Each structure stands twice: as C-alpha cells, then as structure tokens.
C-alpha cells in the first residue's frame, strides 16, 4: 500500500507539473483539471475492478481484459452493467487504454474532451450534483478549453493520458478509508491558502471530525444502526459526513447535504466517490441552505437522524436578510435573525442561523454535533442565549466540548463542539479540553494537534459522563438554569482552597517577615526616585 500511495502522490504531482508547463500553474482552473483527471483515472480503474469481479472471464484475461470487453456484444455489455454496484459505466471507447492508443491522432484534445463529457452524460443519474434551481452539474468539463493556445491542446491531453496510464488502483479498492482520506487531503493541501483559493474553509481537521463522529455514534451502537440519514447544511468537502458514515457503515446510511459553494460541492462529490458513497450524490444540493432549503418532505423541512456541521461563523448575509425575516421562517428561526451592523457587515453572526436550522431539521430521536465559536456557550444576551435557553428548557442537550485554541490552523477563533440529543432527558456533560494538544507550526500559522490518546480521553469521558477534576463536569438541566444557562465547564468546577496547619507564633513571624520585606522595598523605591530626579537635572539641551 505504501508503494501505491507514493505512486498516487507522484501522479498528482506530475499533473501539477503538466499544468505548470502549459501555463496553468496556480491558475484558478488548475484544481479543476487535477481533480477531474484524478477522478477519471479512479473511475476507470474502479470499473475494471468491478467488471472483473462480476465476469470471471474478464478477470482471466488479466491486463488484456479490455480486448475481450471490446468484443462483447451489446447485450452482454448491458447485462454486465446491470450488475455493477454503484459504479460509473464505461464503454470500451471510454477507457484510458483506448485513448492511449489513439493519442497521436490529430485532434486528440477533442477526442479526450468528448470522452470525458460522454462519460459524464451517460452517468449523470448517478453522479450529477443538483442546484437549488434544478440544474444538474455533471462530472466532467472540457478540460482542454483551459489551454488558451489551441495548437497546444493535443499535446496537453497527450501528457495527461501518459501520466495516468502507468499504474492501476485496482488492487486497493477493498482497503480502508484512511488511505482514501490521505489521497484527498494530499490532493487539496496546496490549495489551503489564499494563493490557491481558500480550500481550507471546506476542510475540517480529522481530529475534530473523529471526535464528533465517535461521540455521536458510541461503541455500543456501532453495527446496530440501519437506514440512517446523515445531514450537513454547510457541508464543505464533507469530512464530517465521511467520519460519521464510516462508523455507521456506508451501506447503512444516506448522506444529505447543501452548500452554496460550487467548489465545495465538487470537492464533496469527489469525496463521496472516493469513500464508497456514490449512492448519496443525488442528495447533494448546491444552493443557499438558509434562504432556500431543498431537503423537504410534504412541504416541510426533512428531519434527520444525525446532523453534523462546521458552519461559517461570520458572513455578510445582508443581501437576503429581509427574505429570511418572514412569517414562514418564524418557527425555524425561533431565536431571531442577526441584525445588520452599521459597520463590518462581514461580522454578521451567520452561525446563529445554522444552529436554529439544524434544530428544526432534527428528528425527535435525532442527534447533532456543531462546531461553534466558544463565545456562544457563555453569551449572556441576544440570540446565543435564547438558543441555549431553548435547548435546556426542551431537554435536548447532550454536552459541550471546548477545544484547544488554534485547533483550526486557519483561524484564531476558539471553538467548542455543541452536541444535541433529543432523547437525553437527564444529565449533561461539559468538557474543557482547552489545555490538551501540542502546539506546532503549520506554515505561517500555529495549530494545536491532539494525540490519539487525547482524542480517546475526550470521547470516553463524554460517553461515560465521567467527572474529572479540572477537565469535565456532569450537571443537571436545573444546575445549568441556575448558572444562567452557561455551558462552560469552567464555571462549574469546584473552587479549591488549600489550608496549611500553622501556629499563632509561626503566623506572626511570617507576617513580620512580609512587613519587613515591604518596608525594604519602599525604601529602595525612594532611593531610586531621588537618583532619577538627580539624573534628570544633569540633562542639558545641545544644538
């Protein structure tokens, strides 16, 4: 696996080099080219793997299986396609091997583009992402169009085909998720900066994703759940969803998402394909969740078993605020809608709307985990407090984990994870994990990295509702009300006073010592004052 992982990274690096050689280095279209070529390679090899598993004759042909596949009749091919398990259907002329043989023909760029477009069209039902306007965004674009000089397009497409035809992914398709996560993270790592387009905003750290998933689905429930719906209203690249889906089981859950960003929707589609969840791509919506939520049943918001979200914290939504402040949204946004500030509209607390939307989208037995600014858990007025009052008064709170600072390298905002559980009528656990983790440099930024031991400590403490000195407390809803609805663990920690046995004479001796020390310091201060004043008198002006 290590060797294949290395080859995969080398292939991605090679695609970046090709883009640079043709003038597309750090170009806004470079990421599209690399991800779509990578996806074409992945689908090609996944198709080969699946058809060989179905038809043993194809498998017996080994590396020459394409020749036998090409000679199959239309009826034989159709029978083969019917047995494919959520895999893209590739005709013989769609295969990399077919394009490789024809790469020296004139107009190869057109053939290359037509092939990818044909694959996207024929597999649109499985792989297209829908927009809230009803349009379908298919898998592939015409990639050679990004080369401004038409005379260089054939050469560009030839270079791509030669780089992706040298090895196969086939023998690793039964491996575990971590390998695919590594590929995905490696694929976007160079785009996690402003120069590459802020892709970091679409990626939640793996440690945060794992903690959220493990707390939402504890050990005693794993393997027991079936037909679960998992939703993220601001999905980004989908790392939170992947973590939950893998714990529940890819075949035991359906993913539902919405995100306003076209970039994030494309990243999410790639992530679903890489993580054996293509059956959920039809539930991916590109659009404004707050203004136009698309997942509905009988005209009402669809309710979900699990919801995870790392919503944007601050964002200017003044252009559509008035549309949100309507009678039909009063129930959904029960705590109110943030006002438009006179200055810094970009500081509008949009996360407050996402929390309320999540509460409205949760089943009566549902659970949710939401990343929020830590200020939310203690604010003593406004929408934040109204939401906390609602959660406590309706007994739907599981707990809070306050994370270390800089757990996200791209923001200095302290964050906490809010856990909701509509079935939790009893105790609530509050964890202060702010002192955990190791500080490391990440480029120009500093971030905090949790060890696996520390992740497990957080999850086990939460699952067992265990009180640990200066780390966690277990409180009742009434205790939270008495603390003015604060969800900060630190406000519930016992104040400890250390007492030392001492006699009256020892006490008097210590006090005399303190008084003498203080007198000596006062005398030194007077001496220094005189010295400073005398020094100032010696200063003269010189022109």
């Amino acid at each position: 696996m290590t060797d294949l992982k290395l080859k995969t990274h080398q292939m991605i690096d090679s695609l970046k080099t090709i883009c640079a050689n043709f003038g597309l280095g750090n170009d806004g279209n470079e990421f599209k080219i690399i991800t779509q070529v990578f996806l074409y390679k992945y689908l090609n090899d996944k198709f080969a793997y699946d058809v060989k598993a179905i038809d043993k004759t194809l498998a017996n042909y080994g590396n020459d299986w394409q020749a036998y596949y090409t000679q199959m009749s239309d009826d034989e091919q159709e029978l083969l396609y019917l047995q494919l398990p959520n895999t893209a259907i590739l005709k013989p002329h769609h295969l990399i091997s077919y394009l490789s043989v024809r790469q020296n023909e004139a107009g190869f760029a057109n053939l290359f583009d037509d092939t990818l477009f044909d694959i996207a069209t024929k597999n649109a039902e499985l792989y297209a992402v829908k927009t809230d306007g009803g349009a379908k965004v298919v898998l592939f674009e015409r990639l050679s169009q990004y080369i401004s000089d038409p005379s260089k397009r054939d050469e560009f497409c030839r270079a791509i085909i030669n780089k992706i035809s040298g090895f196969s992914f086939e023998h690793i398709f039964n491996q575990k998720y971590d390998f695919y996560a590594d590929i995905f993270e490696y694929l976007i790592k160079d785009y996690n900066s402003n120069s590459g387009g802020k892709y970091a905003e679409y990626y939640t750290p793996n440690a945060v994703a794992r903690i959220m998933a493990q707390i939402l689905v504890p050990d005693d429930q794993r393997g027991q759940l079936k037909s679960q719906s998992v939703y993220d209203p601001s999905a980004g690249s989908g790392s939170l969803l992947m973590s939950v889906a893998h714990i529940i089981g890819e075949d035991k859950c359906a993913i539902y998402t919405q995100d306003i960003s076209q970039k994030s929707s494309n990243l999410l589609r790639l992530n679903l394909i890489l993580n054996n969840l293509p059956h959920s791509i039809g539930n991916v919506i590109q659009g404004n969740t707050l203004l136009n939520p698309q997942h509905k049943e009988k005209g009402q918001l669809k309710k979900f078993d699990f919801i995870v979200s790392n919503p944007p914290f601050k964002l200017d939504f003044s252009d559509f605020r008035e549309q949100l402040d309507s009678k039909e949204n009063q129930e959904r946004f029960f705590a109110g809608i943030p006002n438009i500030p006179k200055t810094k509209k970009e500081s509008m607390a949009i996360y407050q709307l996402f929390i309320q939307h999540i509460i409205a989208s949760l089943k009566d037995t549902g659970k949710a985990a939401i990343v929020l600014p830590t200020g939310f858990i203690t604010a003593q007025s406004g929408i934040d407090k109204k939401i906390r009052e609602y959660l406590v008064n309706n007994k739907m709170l599981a707990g809070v984990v306050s994370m270390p600072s800089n757990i996200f390298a791209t923001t200095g905002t302290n964050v906490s994870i809010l856990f909701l559980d509509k079935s939790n009528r009893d105790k609530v656990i509050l964890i202060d994990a702010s002192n955990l983790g190791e500080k490391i440099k990440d480029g120009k930024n500093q971030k905090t990295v949790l060890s696996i031991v520390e992740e497990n400590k957080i999850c086990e403490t939460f699952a067992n509702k265990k009180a640990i000195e200066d780390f966690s407390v277990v409180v009742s809803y009434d205790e939270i009300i008495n603390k003015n609805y604060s969800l900060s663990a630190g406000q519930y920690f016992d104040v400890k006073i250390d007492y030392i046995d001492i006699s009256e004479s020892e006490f008097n001796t210590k006090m005399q010592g303190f008084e003498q020390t203080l007198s000596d310091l006062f005398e030194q201060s007077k001496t220094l004052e005189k010295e400073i004043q005398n020094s100032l008198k010696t200063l003269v002006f010189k022109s």
Side-chain angles (χ1 to χ4, degrees):
M1 184 184 294
T2 301
D3 180 58
L4 185 61
K5 180 176 176 180
L6 177 62
K7 287 181 179 179
T8 304
H9 289 185
Q10 290 173 342
M11 185 190 79
I12 294 170
D13 290 338
S14 296
L15 293 175
K16 292 177 182 177
T17 300
I18 291 171
C19 288
N21 290 342
F22 284 86
L24 294 172
N26 292 322
D27 182 271
N29 296 310
E30 180 189 29
F31 184 79
K32 291 182 182 179
I33 293 168
I34 293 170
T35 53
Q36 290 191 34
V37 170
F38 179 87
L39 185 54
Y40 172 46
K41 169 64 175 172
Y42 180 92
L43 293 177
N44 181 94
D45 295 353
K46 184 68 163 61
F47 177 79
Y49 173 84
D50 285 335
V51 295
K52 288 178 186 177
I54 294 168
D55 190 324
K56 298 305 179 185
T57 304
L58 285 172
N60 292 336
Y61 272 80
N63 293 332
D64 296 326
W65 70 274
Q66 296 99 325
Y68 177 79
Y69 173 50
T70 302
Q71 295 171 8
M72 292 174 69
S73 68
D74 291 343
D75 288 343
E76 289 174 326
Q77 289 180 10
E78 287 299 326
L79 180 60
L80 190 65
Y81 303 153
L82 289 173
Q83 300 175 73
L84 286 175
N86 287 317
T87 301
I89 294 173
L90 271 61
K91 295 287 187 177
H93 60 278
H94 293 151
L95 300 176
I96 291 174
S97 57
Y98 178 85
L99 292 180
S100 182
V101 170
R102 298 187 60 182
Q103 64 177 285
N104 292 318
E105 296 179 8
F108 178 67
N110 287 332
L111 176 62
F112 180 86
D113 286 341
D114 289 345
T115 299
L116 266 61
F117 187 75
D118 194 42
I119 293 171
T121 302
K122 285 184 165 50
N123 292 279
E125 185 175 344
L126 179 60
Y127 289 123
V129 169
K130 292 176 285 190
T131 70
D132 56 3
K136 287 187 176 182
V137 182
V138 296
L139 272 178
F140 300 119
E141 301 175 32
R142 303 184 72 84
L143 298 184
S144 72
Q145 67 178 317
Y146 299 118
I147 304 298
S148 56
D149 184 349
S151 68
K152 294 183 178 180
R153 290 175 180 172
D154 286 355
E155 184 182 355
F156 173 71
C157 293
R158 271 197 295 272
I160 288 175
I161 281 295
N162 285 328
K163 287 300 180 185
I164 64 177
S165 60
F167 72 99
S168 175
F169 286 122
E170 286 183 55
H171 64 283
I172 53 88
F173 284 124
N174 59 353
Q175 298 297 321
K176 293 183 180 179
Y177 161 69
D178 287 347
F179 178 65
Y180 294 121
D182 177 79
I183 293 175
F184 181 76
E185 191 170 2
Y186 186 80
L187 196 62
I188 69 170
K189 72 180 180 64
D190 286 348
Y191 302 90
N192 282 353
S193 63
N194 290 334
S195 61
K198 293 169 62 180
Y199 283 87
E201 65 188 275
Y202 307 112
Y203 194 80
T204 304
N206 286 331
V208 175
R210 283 193 295 266
I211 289 169
M212 292 170 74
Q214 290 173 25
I215 288 177
L216 282 178
V217 190
D219 289 341
D220 60 352
Q221 292 184 20
R222 294 172 196 178
Q224 308 297 318
L225 301 174
K226 295 180 181 179
S227 302
Q228 299 295 293
S229 55
V230 187
Y231 175 53
D232 189 338
S234 56
S237 65
S239 54
L240 294 178
L241 292 161
M242 300 304 109
S243 294
V244 176
H246 287 297
I247 288 182
I248 295 173
E250 297 91 337
D251 59 339
K252 296 178 181 178
C253 68
I255 301 295
Y256 294 82
T257 78
Q258 190 165 344
D259 197 293
I260 198 170
S261 168
Q262 181 175 322
K263 289 178 182 177
S264 67
S265 296
N266 288 332
L267 282 169
L268 174 59
R269 173 166 54 187
L270 171 63
N271 214 358
L272 288 171
I273 293 171
L274 293 181
N275 285 280
N276 199 31
L277 286 158
H279 56 274
S280 288
I281 292 176
N283 301 327
V284 174
I285 304 294
Q286 179 194 318
N288 189 326
T289 305
L290 300 176
L291 183 61
N292 191 16
Q294 289 294 294
H295 294 296
K296 294 185 176 182
E297 289 180 342
K298 298 179 180 179
Q300 302 296 316
L301 287 179
K302 180 177 173 64
K303 308 290 185 178
F304 299 95
D305 296 298
F306 293 96
I307 303 179
V308 288
S309 187
N310 176 20
F313 292 173
K314 306 288 185 179
L315 195 69
D316 178 7
F317 61 92
S318 57
D319 286 348
F320 61 89
R321 185 194 178 282
E322 287 188 12
Q323 294 172 266
L324 297 176
D325 195 7
S326 62
K327 185 176 180 180
E328 65 184 56
N329 277 323
Q330 284 181 355
E331 184 176 352
R332 181 164 59 133
F333 301 129
F334 61 87
I337 299 172
N339 292 320
I340 302 173
K342 293 181 179 179
T343 60
K344 295 186 177 180
K345 290 183 181 179
E346 67 276 7
S347 68
M348 294 176 72
I350 196 169
Y351 72 88
Q352 295 174 339
L353 296 176
F354 276 102
I355 302 173
Q356 295 177 79
H357 173 78
I358 288 168
I359 293 170
S361 302
L362 202 58
K363 281 185 178 181
D364 289 339
T365 56
K367 295 181 180 181
I370 316 163
V371 180
L372 298 169
T374 293
F376 166 83
I377 67 177
T378 57
Q380 287 305 303
S381 62
I383 294 174
D384 285 340
K385 188 177 181 184
K386 288 181 181 178
I387 294 173
R388 297 200 315 272
E389 289 174 345
Y390 181 91
L391 296 176
V392 172
N393 294 340
N394 287 278
K395 294 187 176 181
M396 55 184 297
L397 182 64
V400 172
V401 178
S402 295
M403 301 298 288
S405 60
N406 301 114
I407 196 74
F408 289 79
T410 54
T411 176
T413 304
N414 289 335
V415 303
S416 294
I417 308 173
L418 176 72
F419 290 91
L420 309 183
D421 183 351
K422 284 195 170 183
S423 65
N424 183 42
R425 317 303 293 180
D426 192 12
K427 297 289 187 177
V428 174
I429 183 164
L430 307 175
I431 295 176
D432 181 1
S434 60
N435 293 320
L436 299 184
E438 177 186 1
K439 308 290 184 185
I440 65 170
K441 291 290 289 182
D442 183 24
K444 295 180 180 179
N445 300 315
Q446 177 176 276
K447 72 176 181 180
T448 302
V449 177
L450 295 173
S451 68
I452 295 298
V453 172
E454 290 172 323
E455 288 181 34
N456 289 338
K457 178 181 179 180
I458 293 171
C459 295
E460 290 171 5
T461 301
F462 200 106
N464 296 322
K465 289 189 175 180
K466 185 178 180 182
I468 299 175
E469 186 174 312
D470 293 333
F471 182 70
S472 63
V473 292
V474 180
V475 295
S476 68
Y477 284 110
D478 286 340
E479 287 177 285
I480 296 175
I481 293 172
N482 291 335
K483 285 286 187 180
N484 211 10
Y485 294 91
S486 173
L487 302 181
S488 172
Q491 294 192 19
Y492 296 84
F493 290 153
D494 293 331
V495 177
K496 296 180 289 296
I497 300 176
D498 293 329
Y499 293 94
I500 300 174
D501 289 332
I502 187 171
S503 67
E504 183 177 357
S505 61
E506 289 173 328
F507 173 77
N508 292 332
T509 301
K510 282 184 176 291
M511 292 304 296
Q512 289 174 2
F514 293 150
E515 290 174 2
Q516 183 60 51
T517 300
L518 194 58
S519 296
D520 292 343
L521 290 172
F522 286 156
E523 287 298 323
Q524 291 176 26
S525 175
K526 292 177 182 178
T527 302
L528 286 172
E529 286 176 8
K530 290 179 180 179
E531 290 178 359
I532 292 171
Q533 288 174 344
N534 292 334
S535 296
L536 287 172
K537 291 177 182 178
T538 64
L539 297 176
V540 296
F541 175 76
K542 290 184 179 181
S543 60

